């Protein structure tokens, strides 16, 4: 595997152009740019981070349009995930806007969602999560995920962690944009640093849903 040297800005330009012309003709004419500026650097990055976080899965660049009203054939970003439990893990993405990093529980099964809410309800586990989230949001990460409009069944409206209990998925993320280090080897250092900061949250999620 070639050494990771950064994400070339030509990759970001590729996705900006793809957003303007998401067609097979454009993709075919510019596929080599995607391969050299997006795919190959992402593979090299994942290989470099594997000893610390585990093997990664790169997502396909093609959209599944079978059940979508949006029939554009290609994704406007390239993502990769290191799973810590089914439906959960570390995530990194490159697109027109630059670098995006996250951890979380993205598509829980009903059983996992029940496990998550049981842990949030617990006075020890729930407070532990609250403290983790407080520290990470103070460090600049954004708490996200799909949420119920109302409270989940079985939990009182005045529960001290009702806002967390409303979550149907749970993520922590940060948009880094396109800093000068993105196209340099330092990008691997910064991504590793972010994932390490997020590791306690990833481990908490894996422990209660894995």
């Amino acid at each position: 595997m070639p050494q990771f040297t950064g994400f070339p800005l030509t990759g970001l330009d590729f996705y900006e152009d793809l957003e303007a012309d998401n067609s097979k003709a454009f993709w075919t004419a510019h596929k080599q740019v995607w391969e050299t500026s997006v795919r190959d650097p992402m593979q090299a990055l994942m290989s470099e981070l594997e000893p610390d976080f585990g093997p990664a899965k790169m997502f396909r660049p093609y959209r599944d349009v079978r059940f979508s009203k949006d029939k554009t054939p290609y994704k406007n970003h390239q993502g990769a995930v290191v799973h810590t439990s089914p439906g959960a893990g570390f995530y990194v993405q490159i697109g027109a806007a630059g670098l995006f990093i996250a951890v979380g529980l993205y598509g829980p099964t009903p059983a996992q969602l029940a496990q998550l809410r049981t842990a949030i309800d617990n006075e020890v586990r729930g407070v532990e999560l609250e403290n983790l989230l407080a520290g990470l949001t103070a460090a600049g990460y954004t708490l996200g995920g799909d949420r119920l409009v109302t409270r989940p069944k079985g939990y009182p409206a005045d529960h001290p962690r009702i806002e967390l209990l409303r979550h149907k998925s749970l993520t922590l993320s940060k948009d880094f944009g396109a800093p000068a280090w993105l196209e340099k080897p330092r990008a691997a250092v910064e991504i590793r640093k972010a994932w390490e900061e997020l590791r306690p949250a990833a481990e908490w999620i894996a422990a209660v849903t894995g």
Side-chain angles (χ1 to χ4, degrees), residues 70-162:
D70 180 0
K71 299 300 182 182
T72 50
Y74 304 102
K75 296 175 183 176
N76 63 359
H77 59 270
Q78 177 62 61
V81 62
V82 175
H83 287 294
T84 54
S85 63
F90 298 92
Y91 181 75
V92 61
Q93 173 183 300
I94 284 291
L99 175 68
F100 174 81
I101 290 175
V103 301
L105 180 65
Y106 302 96
T109 64
Q112 285 180 309
L113 184 55
Q115 290 170 327
L116 175 67
R117 287 181 175 151
T118 297
I120 292 172
D121 181 46
N122 182 273
E123 284 303 316
V124 175
R125 278 298 205 181
V127 171
E128 184 179 36
L129 178 63
E130 277 188 311
N131 292 336
L132 282 172
L133 296 179
L136 289 167
T137 53
Y141 294 95
T142 299
L143 176 63
D146 294 331
R147 298 196 304 168
L148 293 171
V149 175
T150 59
R151 63 181 176 85
K153 292 180 180 179
Y155 296 98
D158 61 350
H159 192 288
R161 289 176 293 283
I162 190 62

Side-chain angles (χ1 to χ4, degrees), residues 4-13 36-38 41 94 182-184:
F4 176 73
T5 58
F7 285 105
L9 296 186
T10 50
L12 278 60
D13 293 339
T36 59
S37 298
V38 178
I94 284 291
L182 186 60
E183 54 182 338
K184 300 177 181 178

Side-chain angles (χ1 to χ4, degrees), residues 20-99:
D21 182 8
N22 196 313
S23 67
K24 185 176 181 181
F26 175 87
W27 180 269
T28 301
H30 298 85
K31 185 178 180 181
Q32 186 176 5
V33 177
W34 172 78
E35 291 174 342
T36 59
S37 298
V38 178
R39 183 198 64 185
D40 292 352
M42 185 67 81
Q43 289 177 338
L45 173 68
M46 292 299 97
S47 178
E48 185 166 330
L49 296 180
E50 182 172 344
D52 295 324
F53 297 95
K57 172 190 174 183
M58 274 185 64
F59 292 99
R60 289 164 52 86
Y62 314 106
R63 295 183 63 250
D64 185 351
V65 300
R66 290 173 298 171
F67 308 107
S68 174
K69 292 181 180 179
D70 180 0
K71 299 300 182 182
T72 50
Y74 304 102
K75 296 175 183 176
N76 63 359
H77 59 270
Q78 177 62 61
V81 62
V82 175
H83 287 294
T84 54
S85 63
F90 298 92
Y91 181 75
V92 61
Q93 173 183 300
I94 284 291
L99 175 68

